């Protein structure tokens, strides 16, 4: 777990790692882009020959949402800081300076204007990204990712919400004018099985 190795395919060396990004016991291959299609096709043939199944980005997205893992462009971006995303553990706070250090150190000290939260749907419905999170008819955040969780058998979402929102709060998502009841729950939705 959390290790890397060099592998060779068609005389080209690249990285194989096991970071568990999906929350599952799995591996990641990082071939050069010009070899990616060949690696995918060969790996797919081998998996299917062993009666395995092929899963793509939709499966990855569902698994990482169940684990509450952030995805760049959703829970983390140029507009969403690591402090807001709940990633303080990944910041080198003891370093004197790093790109953006003044901004994130200031935000950590003052407290962020929003934070990442896990939302479980309490009725029939599947949340998606960019849905307004409502409390008593007032917006308190926005979803960053949403899906149906096959493990939990319910709709789940990650959201950036007001810091006053806490675990156990009953909120709503605005689904094109219809309110969908959700509850703020402790993250992750599913315990990891990466190790």
């Amino acid at each position: 777990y959390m290790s890397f190795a060099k592998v060779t395919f068609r005389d080209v060396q690249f990285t194989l790692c096991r970071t568990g990004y999906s929350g599952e016991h799995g591996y990641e291959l990082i071939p050069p882009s010009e070899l990616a299609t060949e690696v995918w096709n060969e790996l797919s043939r081998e998996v299917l020959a062993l009666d395995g199944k092929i899963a793509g980005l939709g499966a990855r997205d569902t698994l990482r949402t169940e684990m509450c893992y952030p995805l760049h462009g959703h829970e983390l971006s140029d507009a969403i800081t690591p402090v807001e995303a709940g990633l303080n553990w990944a910041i080198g706070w003891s370093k004197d300076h790093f790109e953006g250090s003044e901004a994130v150190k200031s935000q950590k000290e003052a407290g962020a204007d929003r934070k990442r939260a896990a939302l479980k749907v309490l009725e029939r419905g599947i949340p998606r990204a960019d849905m307004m999170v409502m409390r008593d008819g007032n917006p308190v955040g926005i979803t960053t990712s949403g899906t149906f969780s096959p493990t939990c058998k319910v709709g789940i979402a990650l959201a950036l919400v007001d810091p006053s929102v806490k675990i156990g709060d009953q909120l709503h998502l605005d689904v094109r004018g219809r309110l969908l009841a959700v509850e703020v729950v402790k993250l992750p939705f599913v315990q990891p099985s990466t190790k």
Side-chain angles (χ1 to χ4, degrees), residues 73-142:
H74 290 260
E75 289 74 37
L76 189 62
S77 71
D78 291 342
I80 303 168
T81 70
V83 174
E84 293 170 318
L87 298 174
N88 285 343
W89 61 269
I91 299 173
W93 296 111
S94 61
K95 292 182 179 179
D96 289 335
H97 181 77
F98 52 87
E99 192 70 35
S101 62
E102 291 173 17
V104 293
K105 285 179 179 180
S106 173
Q107 188 178 54
K108 181 184 178 198
E109 189 175 304
D113 291 336
R114 56 192 183 166
K115 66 180 182 181
R116 184 171 49 134
L119 308 175
K120 181 175 81 171
V121 175
L122 299 175
E123 55 188 311
R124 186 179 168 101
I126 301 173
R128 299 292 182 212
D130 300 319
M131 292 181 165
M132 194 65 63
V133 181
M134 311 291 286
R135 177 171 49 201
D136 301 323
N138 299 308
V140 292
I142 191 156

Side-chain angles (χ1 to χ4, degrees), residues 137-158:
N138 299 308
V140 292
I142 191 156
T143 58
T144 53
S145 293
T147 190
F148 177 79
S149 166
T151 306
C152 302
K153 308 277 191 266
V154 68
I156 59 173
L158 297 175

Side-chain angles (χ1 to χ4, degrees), residues 40-56:
W40 172 259
N41 290 339
E42 185 68 26
L43 187 60
S44 297
R45 277 192 290 279
E46 292 295 325
V47 166
L48 294 172
L50 296 168
D51 293 326
K53 302 225 185 293
I54 305 298

